[in-house]
Amino acid sequence: MPRPHGFACATDGDGTVRITHHDRAAATLRGPRAARFLSEVAAGDPQLVMARWTGNYRRGTERTAREHPRNRR
């Protein structure tokens, strides 16, 4: 599975975290969720964490699953 890439995050003055993917808005986190996200980014791979938090962590495997003999009609 290819590694996620193209994610970036920025923290506003009020603690809001904005996550972008290829310069397009992907998620906005506030309050305790933003704090939890920032702690996970500091502890792990930022690209993987951002992909998981935005829901883009499965991209790339759908074609493989569709071609599996079990999923063909």
Side-chain angles (χ1 to χ4, degrees):
M1 184 170 164
R3 288 183 34 109
H5 63 282
F7 288 97
C9 68
T11 305
D12 294 343
D14 63 353
T16 300
V17 176
R18 299 185 194 286
I19 303 171
T20 59
H21 186 240
H22 296 292
D23 297 326
R24 299 180 86 182
T28 302
L29 307 172
R30 294 180 179 90
R33 293 188 71 215
R36 196 168 93 214
F37 167 78
L38 291 173
S39 68
E40 284 187 31
V41 166
D45 181 9
Q47 291 293 307
L48 288 173
V49 172
M50 286 185 268
R52 187 170 50 81
W53 275 75
T54 60
N56 283 322
Y57 61 94
R58 295 185 322 176
R59 303 296 186 250
T61 60
E62 291 86 358
R63 182 177 300 138
T64 305
R66 184 173 55 232
E67 297 301 323
H68 193 277
R70 171 183 64 227
N71 296 328
R72 291 185 177 198
R73 292 182 187 184

